[in-house]
Amino acid sequence: MTAVGTPAAARTRTDRTEHTAPGDRTDRPRRIRLPRRPRAREIVVTLVLIPVCLVWLYPFVWMVSASLKTDDEIFGSTSLLPEEFQWDNYSRAWYEANIGPYFWNTLIVTVATVAIVTVTTAMIGYVLGRYPFPGKKLVIVCLVGTLFLPEGYTIIPVFELVNQLGLSGSLAGIVLAESGGAHVIIILLFAGYFRQLPKELEEAARIDGAGFLRTFWTVMLPLAKPAVATAVILTLMRVWNSFLIPLVLTLARPDLRTLAVGVYSFEGQNLTDWSGLAAASTISLLPIVLVFLVLQRYFIEGVAGAVRG
Amino acid sequence: MSAFTQTSALVRDGTGGGSLRQRIWQARWCYLFMAPSLVLALLFTFYPLASSWYISFLEWSGLDSERKFVGLDNYREVVEDPYFWAAFGRTFAFAAAAVPVMLVLALVIAIVVNDQALRLRTVFRTVFFLPVVTTTAIVGVVLSMILNPFDGPLNAFLLDLGLIDAPVDFLGDPDLAMWSVAGVFVWKWMGISMIYWLVALQTVPQDVYEAARVDGAGRWHTHRHITLPLIAPFGVIISLIAFVGALQTFPLMQAMTQGGPAFSTELVEVYIYRLAFAAEHQPRLGYASAVAVVFGVTVLALTLLQAWGIRRLHVTRRDAKDAADAREPEEAS
């Protein structure tokens, strides 16, 4: 489908550029009228979209700008450029508002959850995608059944279970609760990806004397890199931004808060330190925004691929 | 014969063969590979699912181990609880207001940035997707500063333009607060609907557009009569994903208004959280669970609706494909 679609799209593009080439224009000014219309359209569309984009970006720009101003300046002036850069807002947020510890908590929870989710979903996706076995349909039906389960529906038992497991005073409880959601989309993505790998790979691995585990780990998993990347990105995005689970599980232990919970609580406790709050928000959002900008192609393709799969 | 040889025999034969016990034994590696996921899902998804029903029959504060079985009392109370029904209605009103605006905006932008001739299309996509990847609760905190009535930047801007005479209390006015958050919701999540629409748009074959252009159809007509009908089945799914998502806006609402002012933005999830974890008095985990079950069952019913939508998608697309195949010989000649 795409193989056929892409050349067709490429062809139209070349046609268009030929018509609007500058050389063309000087030679035969009258005949280009019609083909030139897309160019005018492009300018109009761009001019309309740029202000909309600025609206989309403004909250982030304002947040960074406010994090470098004094409190008086934040609400006193509409200029985005601070008179003098107040870097101590950041040290105040990091040390006094505990954003530093929250940052490390978030990092630990995110890395651990991403590792657990990626490995376990790859494993279950592998066998669901490649092997027939009794009970397979049941497993798939159960998983798909949880697709739209609201988080608020299960939070009370999750809270109770973590307490009963004796994990309420540790980050491990948050990691397990975040890893324990049914990751249906990622599992189906892996299943679909593994399904299309050729059967001969397994046979070759078997002849070379590799066992089931070894075949999976050294032959199959490395071949599934695009699926692994998507799983990592989707999980990373979800866990770094997660709010309800860490909020509820750290009620009794404020020192275990993640950034989302920490900044939220900071707002509640300290209604006057606007610049500190802006700095804390910037510290919290910067890592995920940077990851997004570096991997943005995979981010968007990952989300799109997960939908298509 | 090693376990792996047996399991790969499963691959070659397809079914494995033999009695059920033999087949289970042959596939033991499969079960082993599913075990970590299934144990985690069992603990943190399926057990809570069943347990919330059980807890909903209890009167339980969660502070001590004292649990009293009260049968359907909690449900009786839910039915008569005006706060619940107000929150329930508000939750759906919120979704009904925010989702159509978001989807139409996302579709228009998706059609525009899908145009190969638009040079900045990648930049636009990135910008519109940016709010989607950021932490909802923190974005909510930042937005409440921007919407601040005392010289917040939005009010300052509107005053400068002369659009308003006095600052607007976007989050403090009970008549306005929910719509302000709905606006932020659209800003936050529009990008993901845009990506879904882009996926749908890419399934529309390019030659259909070329044929339309040859026939002299304008852009508006092309989109009205070709794009929209072809992506309509996707629209069913995209709308449902967005709608079910909008019913679960806890982080945004909690960070921006915490259900206030005067309960005017208390959605069901905010209400559940207040009953169970942020109660001014004794927490009521049992009652909160009953509320959660009633809400969860409603959302689950919507999920079934979604399954129905997906089935329709397959049927419609097959029909469309058949129709296209039937048309093809004419166009070729």
Side-chain angles (χ1 to χ4, degrees):
Chain A
M1 192 73 180
T2 16
V4 182
T6 320
R11 209 183 320 124
T12 23
R13 211 181 320 157
T14 352
D15 288 348
R16 211 171 281 152
T17 21
E18 270 168 21
H19 284 300
T20 49
D24 237 10
R25 198 177 302 163
T26 43
D27 291 346
R28 290 170 292 164
R30 278 185 187 283
R31 291 200 55 197
I32 3 171
R33 264 256 161 94
L34 202 74
R36 261 186 67 188
R37 221 186 265 153
R39 188 82 189 88
R41 234 184 71 84
E42 187 194 345
I43 293 169
V44 172
V45 165
T46 309
L47 286 180
V48 172
L49 273 190
I50 283 176
V52 184
C53 270
L54 291 180
V55 171
W56 248 251
L57 282 178
Y58 181 79
F60 300 109
V61 177
W62 182 84
M63 173 187 77
V64 175
S65 140
S67 74
L68 292 165
K69 290 177 172 179
T70 61
D71 276 342
D72 289 342
E73 216 186 330
I74 289 181
F75 292 115
S77 89
T78 39
S79 158
L80 284 172
L81 211 67
E83 276 167 27
E84 204 176 323
F85 289 80
Q86 308 289 329
W87 295 107
D88 62 307
N89 289 340
Y90 280 87
S91 60
R92 202 169 66 248
W94 187 266
Y95 295 108
E96 283 169 41
N98 282 326
I99 293 303
Y102 298 159
F103 184 91
W104 299 118
N105 289 342
T106 313
L107 198 66
I108 292 167
V109 168
T110 305
V111 169
T113 308
V114 167
I116 293 176
V117 170
T118 309
V119 172
T120 56
T121 53
M123 283 165 72
I124 192 172
Y126 176 60
V127 295
L128 285 179
R130 288 190 82 79
Y131 298 99
F133 56 86
K136 178 169 161 174
K137 271 218 177 95
L138 181 73
V139 171
I140 293 176
V141 167
C142 284
L143 288 177
V144 172
T146 64
L147 200 53
F148 276 120
L149 193 68
E151 206 182 15
Y153 185 5
T154 54
I155 188 66
I156 293 168
V158 165
F159 170 72
E160 186 211 2
L161 180 69
V162 170
N163 281 340
Q164 278 176 351
L165 290 172
L167 294 172
S168 53
S170 69
L171 290 176
I174 302 175
V175 171
L176 279 182
E178 296 280 8
S179 310
H183 313 285
V184 189
I185 288 180
I186 300 178
I187 292 174
L188 294 180
L189 195 80
F190 269 117
Y193 200 88
F194 281 120
R195 188 180 299 123
Q196 42 117 28
L197 297 176
K199 275 179 187 176
E200 285 73 22
L201 285 169
E202 254 139 358
E203 322 236 314
R206 184 163 50 91
I207 290 165
D208 288 347
F212 192 90
L213 194 63
R214 224 179 126 81
T215 309
F216 168 72
W217 191 254
T218 58
V219 180
M220 294 300 188
L221 199 56
L223 286 172
K225 263 184 204 137
V228 172
T230 306
V232 168
I233 283 169
L234 290 178
T235 314
L236 176 80
M237 196 164 107
R238 184 178 60 80
V239 181
W240 187 275
N241 298 331
S242 176
F243 182 58
L244 182 58
I245 287 177
L247 173 68
V248 168
L249 294 183
T250 59
L251 282 172
R253 286 286 303 270
D255 56 312
L256 294 179
R257 281 172 186 160
T258 57
L259 286 168
V261 182
V263 172
Y264 163 75
S265 315
F266 185 18
E267 186 202 25
Q269 285 156 11
N270 197 334
L271 281 166
T272 48
D273 190 358
W274 299 102
S275 53
L277 190 53
S281 305
T282 308
I283 296 171
S284 315
L285 294 186
L286 204 62
I288 193 77
V289 168
L290 286 180
V291 169
F292 166 62
L293 290 179
V294 172
L295 300 176
Q296 56 123 338
R297 231 191 80 213
Y298 304 96
F299 250 95
I300 292 176
E301 272 171 18
V303 172
V307 182
R308 227 182 276 128
Chain B
M1 201 157 58
S2 78
F4 178 59
T5 330
Q6 286 172 4
T7 323
S8 32
L10 281 177
V11 185
R12 265 174 288 129
D13 307 345
T15 52
S19 75
L20 184 64
R21 258 226 329 256
Q22 270 176 313
R23 281 193 290 147
I24 289 177
W25 178 244
Q26 278 175 353
R28 59 189 180 279
W29 273 103
C30 294
Y31 299 110
L32 203 66
F33 261 51
M34 293 197 301
S37 276
L38 291 186
V39 168
L40 280 171
L42 208 66
L43 277 174
F44 291 98
T45 301
F46 296 108
Y47 163 75
L49 213 59
S51 180
S52 49
W53 285 82
Y54 171 68
I55 295 176
S56 71
F57 297 124
L58 303 175
E59 187 63 58
W60 178 39
S61 72
L63 296 172
D64 42 46
S65 52
E66 195 185 318
R67 304 163 162 214
K68 207 173 82 193
F69 190 83
V70 292
L72 288 172
D73 279 5
N74 284 332
Y75 287 96
R76 207 167 297 140
E77 206 185 325
V78 171
V79 173
E80 291 166 0
D81 180 355
Y83 286 100
F84 167 73
W85 288 112
F88 191 81
R90 261 194 301 267
T91 306
F92 284 90
F94 178 88
V99 170
V101 175
M102 181 176 85
L103 288 176
V104 170
L105 186 64
L107 177 60
V108 171
I109 291 182
I111 289 176
V112 170
V113 301
N114 193 39
D115 190 344
Q116 298 285 337
L118 188 66
R119 239 160 294 176
L120 288 174
R121 63 185 185 281
T122 328
V123 178
F124 289 140
R125 284 183 203 189
T126 306
V127 169
F128 289 127
F129 197 66
L130 185 64
V132 175
V133 300
T134 51
T135 320
T136 315
I138 296 174
V139 158
V141 169
V142 173
L143 261 301
S144 28
M145 291 198 273
I146 290 178
L147 299 177
N148 190 301
F150 311 106
D151 271 345
L154 182 59
N155 267 311
F157 182 68
L158 292 175
L159 283 169
D160 280 355
L161 283 183
L163 286 172
I164 51 171
D165 298 326
V168 178
D169 196 354
F170 290 102
L171 298 172
D173 181 346
D175 294 329
L176 201 62
M178 199 164 87
W179 312 120
S180 306
V181 182
V184 176
F185 177 88
V186 171
W187 170 82
K188 173 79 171 75
W189 295 111
M190 193 281 291
I192 199 137
S193 296
M194 177 194 75
I195 297 297
Y196 294 162
W197 283 124
L198 280 170
V199 172
L201 286 172
Q202 270 148 28
T203 65
V204 181
Q206 284 296 315
D207 45 356
V208 180
Y209 287 128
E210 277 168 40
R213 206 174 313 141
V214 170
D215 289 349
R219 276 191 180 263
W220 168 252
H221 278 92
T222 315
H223 287 309
R224 171 73 187 78
H225 297 291
I226 298 175
T227 315
L228 288 186
L230 280 176
I231 62 172
F234 283 95
V236 175
I237 296 180
I238 297 173
S239 319
L240 273 158
I241 293 176
F243 192 71
V244 175
L247 296 177
Q248 302 169 45
T249 46
F250 177 77
L252 196 61
M253 211 42 117
Q254 186 70 20
M256 293 190 72
T257 67
Q258 300 184 317
F263 304 112
S264 63
T265 61
E266 188 163 82
L267 306 187
V268 175
E269 286 190 322
V270 179
Y271 186 47
I272 294 171
Y273 177 79
R274 182 164 68 90
L275 284 171
F277 302 107
E280 310 83 68
H281 309 293
Q282 181 107 312
R284 297 189 62 196
L285 292 184
Y287 185 61
S289 271
V291 172
V293 166
V294 172
F295 181 58
V297 166
T298 316
V299 178
L300 240 59
L302 284 171
T303 309
L304 292 179
L305 194 71
Q306 205 248 1
W308 173 81
I310 288 175
R311 186 160 303 154
R312 283 235 14 204
L313 167 83
H314 287 303
V315 174
T316 324
R317 285 195 62 81
R318 203 180 50 230
D319 292 351
K321 196 170 174 292
D322 290 348
D325 289 347
R327 250 196 331 265
E328 209 142 282
E330 280 172 52
E331 280 169 13
S333 61

